Amino acid sequence: MLGIILRRLVNLVIILFVVGTLLFFIIRAIPGDPAVALLGSTAKPEELEALRRDLGLSGPLYLQYLGWFGRVLHGDFGMSIIYDKPVLEVIGDHIAPTLTIAIISTTLSFLIAVLITVWNASNPRNLIARALNQLSQIGLALPDFWLAVLLVYLIALNLRWLPTSGYTDIWVDPVASIRTLILPIAVLVIGQAASYVIVLREGMLGQMSQLYLRTARVKGLSEFGVAMKHALPNALLPILTIVGLNFAGLVGGIVILENIFVIPGLGSMMLGAINSRDFLLLQGGALFVAFLFVVVNLITDLTYALVDPKVRVS
Amino acid sequence: MNRISRRWRHLSVTSMAIVAAGALLLSGCTPSGPSDTPTDEGTPVQGGNLTIQISGDPGGLDQNASYSIEAVNISELIFEKLFALDAENTPHPMLVDSYDLSDDRTTYTFHLRDGVTFSDGKPLTSADVVESLNYWLRVNAQGRIVSGDVESIEATDDLTVVLQLNKPRYPLIVELTGVGTGILEADIAKGLDATGFTQEQAIGTGPYKLDSWEPNEQLTVVRNDKYSSLKDEESGYAGAKHAYLDSITFKIVADPDAVKNGLLTGQWLYASPTPDAYPELKANPDLVVNTLSGGNLNLLVLNHAYEGSIFHNADARDALSLLLDKPGIMAATGGSPDLTVESAALTPEASKIMYSTAGDEEYAKHDPDKAKELFAKAGYSDDKPIQILTTNAFPAFQAWATLVQDQLSSIGVKSEIQAYDFVTMLGQWQGYPDKWDIVPIFFNGDFPSPGQMNVLASAASPASETHGEIADDRSQDLIDALADYNDVDNADDAHKIMDTITAIVARDKPAIILGMTRPYAAYSPTLKGYDNYWYVFWNSWIAE
């Protein structure tokens, strides 16, 4: 296990180096001048040039890259133009809403999917179980933004049960925070749980017909117990990768939902950085998301090993 | 010398004769008034927080460095100027107690109000005014235009500033109400460049001060307890400022549905929704919906200064103007007839001196057949489609681009729309004259003087290095008219010259005016004491 972790950590460094380098040059290739974004259309050419110098954006590109890379190695990702703060501090300010939503929605989606699937597998003829199966197809087909608008209209605007938008830090005011989080999390859970149900159901049905479960049934275990205790661990493997990728995707890309629900998360931060050509924040943010992807993949692989002893052995 | 006091509203009849000369000199060149004025709204209530929705982060509070509508209007709560425009669109002394103008109209002596302090407790002195005005003249695009006429600005004592011009400049006082003329502390203003001051340096003499600011999320201002208010009647941007509200929070919300929903559920009491939401909100009995002061001038900038563009040819500019159904375009994108003005006027109607309909006859001409002939005469060829440069950041720009393309195609003229994000679009517009022929855009229609108007500067030479300044390649007629405007000494003559300027723009068509859009706001009826002047909330309160 330790070997796996060490190998992955070495890979992580290599991946981050390659991704960071690619990102630097791709981002610099985007048309649009940060100096123009900052000073507007009426700035004098000499003012623009002076600002480019101040921002470290003048001179040959390779020298800019080496300078940036050298500072990153020392943990200095530079200053954000729009926030006038160190890039890492800005990322820290915006990670909480995104992580809160990603963790809660992923956990809830996973649990709901497991419960539905296990119940479905142990009660294949039950009408409600079959209806839930069909609903998962619908849940998967609904676009997030459409669902978000619908829920806002029904629950926030008409029933006035919840606010239409906003975000409150859970440590500052937990009740207000939960009220603002319910709708965006509900939107994500509906879509994610539906996809997990579909994938997990296939695995569960396959496992439930396996001969190795006969002994469990003979021992007198209920069908629910058989499904939960014996079939589920074997059916979980394919879904772990999907959960991991979904989680990483949520961290990096719920821009539309953040916009609809006015959540100051990483997606909004990155969008603002693109619109303002805040190169250092964009590079830092993208590198951070890449880092999260790699870490989540590592955790997923480790979870594989925990769930399936064969992986550990191999 | 004539002398104008800040207490002009309370002057005796005898004094009014003296004021009249100054009033004539000063009136005009100003923003329009609001559509409705609240009547008796009860007794003001002290306290509370007002939450306002704004569409974008201000990007700064320095009007010389951040030109967004949010930056300009929020900073009015924090900074004061020597003069401000009242409800009659007349400059009204604010930080100035009185001023003298020499007989040759080149020497202004400003006597500052005694006892005014900045929000950090430092007293306002003439040194602050000198450094602030120098900063404006040095950095601000409009200030740089004025700077050519300014010989010197000097502090002669702690509360007296002498501004020496090298020739008379009729709109100077009203220009001192313009963007970027807010008074900063001398130590701060002295070393500033085009990037402006920092959050920590946002210290003014206004009724509110900056409390917190999380970029792209929200900005909060709180009452400045050290504020020294005039005793005059409150009026427009001028007069007494009571600061009834403890604090005002500006919540940055861009999504149009979120803006509307938050307003309907009381998450914010005041919002600036998109034009298409106007009819629905106007019909809602639980909201007050009114147009605001000012207006946006919608236009198509034509690349007439670049020889490679078809619009270098006057026939092509005439052709496009004749082709376009301008009222139709405005009606399709303006949201409601209440919000659109079909005219070639360069300023809102309430801007008494600068508003002119002298271009309306040209504006109304519509003859697609003649347009087709003129495009052929101008040498149009299918091999070189007309390039329309626009941005997806402003839906209206893209809508105008599409409608223009549609109308061009109706007479067989090919065009291509190049849509970018705003920063890229600006870069293409400024740096690559060969990449565009038409740029649909709007400018703030409120400018203190014609020489400072974006439409004249940008339309004259949008792609040159002098972008934003008086450009040299505009027609001689226009250059002469702008010089004449600065040289007059009364409002009637100034208005006549504005007729000439408006007619020249309509004739030469450096840009084609589509019309004007009135901004509007929707707010809760519990917001009282608000006169529909953008973010002028210093005399507003929330009813209990």
Side-chain angles (χ1 to χ4, degrees):
Chain A
M1 182 68 88
L2 192 63
I4 294 175
I5 295 173
L6 284 175
R7 272 202 307 279
R8 285 313 187 94
L9 286 177
V10 173
N11 285 347
L12 186 145
V13 173
I14 296 168
I15 289 169
L16 287 181
F17 169 73
V18 173
V19 168
T21 304
L22 283 174
L23 279 173
F24 180 91
F25 289 104
I26 290 170
I27 287 169
R28 296 305 170 99
I30 299 173
D33 183 349
V36 172
L38 208 61
L39 297 184
S41 58
T42 56
K44 287 178 171 178
E46 58 268 28
E47 290 169 344
L48 293 171
E49 188 48 42
L51 182 59
R52 284 186 203 110
R53 270 198 309 275
D54 288 349
L55 297 174
L57 299 173
S58 57
L61 199 57
Y62 76 94
L63 284 180
Q64 292 180 40
Y65 167 71
L66 290 175
W68 173 75
F69 191 72
R71 289 191 296 275
V72 167
L73 285 180
H74 290 87
D76 176 11
F77 285 72
M79 292 287 287
S80 158
I81 298 172
I82 46 178
Y83 291 89
D84 197 25
K85 284 181 181 175
V87 164
L88 284 182
E89 195 179 324
V90 177
I91 292 172
D93 291 344
H94 289 83
I95 192 66
T98 304
L99 269 186
T100 307
I101 290 172
I103 290 171
I104 296 177
S105 65
T106 304
T107 309
L108 281 178
S109 308
F110 182 74
L111 292 177
I112 289 171
V114 165
L115 284 176
I116 289 177
T117 316
V118 169
W119 188 48
N120 190 286
S122 53
N123 300 278
R125 303 264 173 220
N126 185 290
L127 271 179
I128 298 173
R130 288 162 73 177
L132 281 173
N133 250 341
Q134 294 308 312
L135 280 176
S136 64
Q137 301 281 352
I138 296 171
L140 194 63
L142 294 176
D144 279 358
F145 68 89
W146 184 86
L147 199 56
V149 172
L150 184 73
L151 289 182
V152 167
Y153 179 74
L154 289 177
I155 295 171
L157 264 182
N158 279 315
L159 299 172
R160 305 280 172 116
W161 288 347
L162 295 168
T164 57
S165 61
Y167 173 79
T168 306
D169 193 322
I170 202 156
W171 306 111
V172 174
D173 185 346
V175 175
S177 178
I178 289 167
R179 281 172 54 78
T180 55
L181 286 174
I182 287 175
L183 288 183
I185 286 177
V187 171
L188 291 172
V189 165
I190 288 172
Q192 282 183 318
S195 68
Y196 298 162
V197 165
I198 288 166
V199 176
L200 198 53
R201 185 171 174 271
E202 289 302 314
M204 283 295 283
L205 291 179
Q207 293 297 325
M208 290 299 279
S209 58
Q210 294 291 315
L211 286 177
Y212 73 89
L213 295 180
R214 192 182 294 163
T215 314
R217 290 191 177 105
V218 169
K219 279 197 305 184
L221 263 182
S222 66
E223 274 301 289
F224 186 82
V226 170
M228 192 64 145
K229 199 169 174 185
H230 296 284
L232 182 62
N234 291 314
L236 271 181
L237 284 179
I239 204 176
L240 286 179
T241 308
I242 298 171
V243 171
L245 287 174
N246 263 353
F247 179 81
L250 285 182
V251 172
I254 49 170
V255 180
I256 293 173
L257 281 191
E258 285 183 6
N259 199 35
I260 291 173
F261 290 109
V262 195
I263 297 166
L266 270 187
S268 309
M269 183 201 80
M270 293 290 278
L271 194 62
I274 291 169
N275 287 336
S276 309
R277 296 296 188 274
D278 192 341
F279 284 163
L280 292 179
L281 182 59
L282 200 51
Q283 286 160 206
L287 203 57
F288 179 76
V289 172
F291 170 77
L292 273 179
F293 259 94
V294 178
V295 169
V296 169
N297 268 341
L298 173 62
I299 293 170
T300 307
D301 286 355
L302 296 177
T303 314
Y304 263 163
L306 286 175
V307 173
D308 186 354
K310 283 185 289 186
V311 175
R312 262 190 310 244
V313 173
S314 64
Chain B
M1 286 199 171
N2 51 43
R3 187 179 178 96
I4 299 165
S5 165
R6 70 176 175 82
R7 299 183 183 85
W8 70 281
R9 282 176 174 274
H10 305 288
L11 288 175
S12 65
V13 174
T14 317
S15 310
M16 285 303 288
I18 305 170
V19 172
L24 277 175
L25 175 70
L26 300 174
S27 62
C29 324
T30 55
S32 60
S35 60
D36 296 328
T37 305
T39 53
D40 182 20
E41 297 188 288
T43 309
V45 178
Q46 186 91 4
N49 175 69
L50 174 66
T51 304
I52 307 288
Q53 170 273 331
I54 55 176
S55 298
D57 189 82
L61 288 171
D62 187 340
Q63 294 186 351
N64 287 322
S66 303
Y67 298 94
S68 69
I69 202 99
E70 290 84 8
V72 168
N73 286 299
I74 294 173
S75 57
E76 292 285 332
L77 293 160
I78 300 171
F79 299 94
E80 288 197 308
K81 299 168 181 174
L82 298 184
F83 299 87
L85 296 169
D86 64 20
E88 301 299 318
N89 295 317
T90 303
H92 184 88
M94 292 301 292
L95 293 178
V96 162
D97 187 64
S98 62
Y99 77 92
D100 306 314
L101 174 59
S102 65
D103 292 337
D104 66 355
R105 298 186 290 129
T106 59
T107 307
Y108 289 80
T109 305
F110 300 113
H111 307 283
L112 304 181
R113 282 168 60 204
D114 198 4
V116 175
T117 60
F118 288 92
S119 58
D120 64 356
K122 287 185 186 167
L124 172 78
T125 68
S126 50
D128 301 315
V129 173
V130 170
E131 289 302 336
S132 299
L133 293 184
N134 276 329
Y135 172 45
W136 172 63
L137 294 171
R138 189 172 69 239
V139 166
N140 186 283
Q142 277 76 46
R144 288 202 295 259
I145 291 167
V146 179
S147 67
D149 288 348
V150 176
E151 188 78 37
S152 64
I153 308 176
E154 287 174 7
T156 53
D157 64 42
D158 276 358
L159 292 174
T160 307
V161 175
V162 176
L163 191 153
Q164 182 68 50
L165 296 175
N166 50 36
K167 59 183 175 187
R169 188 174 179 92
Y170 167 70
L172 180 75
I173 295 298
V174 79
E175 285 171 336
L176 291 176
T177 70
V179 170
T181 55
I183 303 303
L184 317 172
E185 289 183 0
D187 291 347
I188 293 172
K190 206 168 190 170
L192 292 177
D193 60 19
T195 56
F197 55 68
T198 63
Q199 279 190 43
E200 293 72 27
Q201 293 173 318
I203 300 164
T205 63
Y208 286 89
K209 60 182 179 179
L210 180 64
D211 181 56
S212 63
W213 183 4
E214 294 149 56
N216 291 323
E217 290 176 44
Q218 64 179 36
L219 181 151
T220 301
V221 295
V222 295
R223 186 189 297 116
N224 170 17
D225 292 326
K226 296 185 176 67
Y227 180 63
S228 169
S229 173
L230 292 172
K231 303 288 182 236
D232 307 18
E233 184 187 340
E234 58 237 43
S235 174
Y237 293 90
K241 300 179 181 179
H242 299 293
Y244 296 121
L245 296 158
D246 288 342
S247 58
I248 304 168
T249 298
F250 294 88
K251 190 104 185 141
I252 298 150
V253 183
D255 183 75
D257 287 327
V259 171
K260 203 169 61 179
N261 296 339
L263 182 68
L264 294 172
T265 54
Q267 281 179 262
W268 30 88
L269 294 188
Y270 179 103
S272 305
T274 49
D276 59 296
Y278 179 83
E280 179 196 342
L281 297 174
K282 187 75 178 170
N284 189 326
D286 297 328
L287 292 173
V288 180
V289 178
N290 277 323
T291 54
L292 301 178
S293 59
N296 288 329
L297 182 61
N298 308 319
L299 58 139
L300 306 174
V301 175
L302 306 182
N303 199 356
H304 73 100
Y306 175 61
E307 286 187 12
S309 171
I310 188 169
F311 294 115
H312 189 61
N313 187 312
D315 286 330
R317 300 199 295 274
D318 287 340
L320 186 62
S321 182
L322 282 171
L323 169 68
L324 296 177
D325 173 12
K326 301 166 205 91
I329 292 174
M330 288 298 294
T333 56
S336 160
D338 292 357
L339 303 180
T340 55
V341 182
E342 294 165 8
S343 168
L346 301 174
T347 64
E349 193 170 357
S351 181
K352 291 170 191 159
I353 291 181
M354 289 175 51
Y355 177 75
S356 167
T357 56
D360 282 10
E361 195 180 330
E362 190 71 26
Y363 173 88
K365 288 178 184 170
H366 179 54
D367 186 345
D369 293 335
K370 178 79 176 167
K372 192 172 181 179
E373 279 175 33
L374 286 175
F375 266 123
K377 192 178 164 196
Y380 164 75
S381 158
D382 280 352
D383 298 338
K384 199 178 175 202
I386 290 172
Q387 300 295 317
I388 306 174
L389 176 65
T390 187
T391 171
N392 48 24
F394 293 87
F397 297 176
Q398 259 191 314
W400 297 335
T402 306
L403 291 167
V404 168
Q405 185 179 48
D406 182 55
Q407 294 185 22
L408 283 170
S409 72
S410 72
I411 58 165
V413 173
K414 288 186 180 173
S415 60
E416 291 171 355
I417 295 176
Q418 311 291 343
Y420 301 97
D421 67 282
F422 190 58
V423 179
T424 306
M425 182 272 233
L426 276 183
Q428 297 281 308
W429 185 18
Q430 282 186 298
Y432 301 92
D434 56 327
K435 301 281 187 194
W436 63 277
D437 298 300
I438 301 173
V439 174
I441 199 162
F442 62 67
F443 290 128
N444 179 6
D446 279 339
F447 274 93
S449 64
Q452 295 190 343
M453 295 176 74
N454 281 9
V455 61
L456 300 183
S458 297
S461 183
S464 78
E465 289 189 348
T466 53
H467 177 74
E469 298 181 46
I470 296 281
D472 295 332
D473 63 343
R474 70 182 72 200
S475 75
Q476 192 57 47
D477 291 349
L478 195 52
I479 293 169
D480 292 345
L482 289 169
D484 290 346
Y485 187 91
N486 289 343
D487 199 38
V488 299
D489 62 1
N490 66 79
D492 287 342
D493 287 351
H495 184 67
K496 281 178 195 159
I497 294 171
M498 267 315 293
D499 280 341
T500 305
I501 290 171
T502 308
I504 291 170
V505 173
R507 182 198 68 195
D508 292 352
K509 303 179 188 68
I512 293 176
I513 312 291
L514 296 175
M516 194 160 284
T517 306
R518 297 187 180 108
Y520 80 100
Y523 50 94
S524 162
T526 59
L527 175 63
K528 303 291 185 187
Y530 177 63
D531 284 348
N532 303 310
Y533 281 88
W534 281 98
Y535 302 154
V536 175
F537 295 116
W538 46 71
N539 293 321
S540 301
W541 69 92
I542 301 168
E544 286 174 330

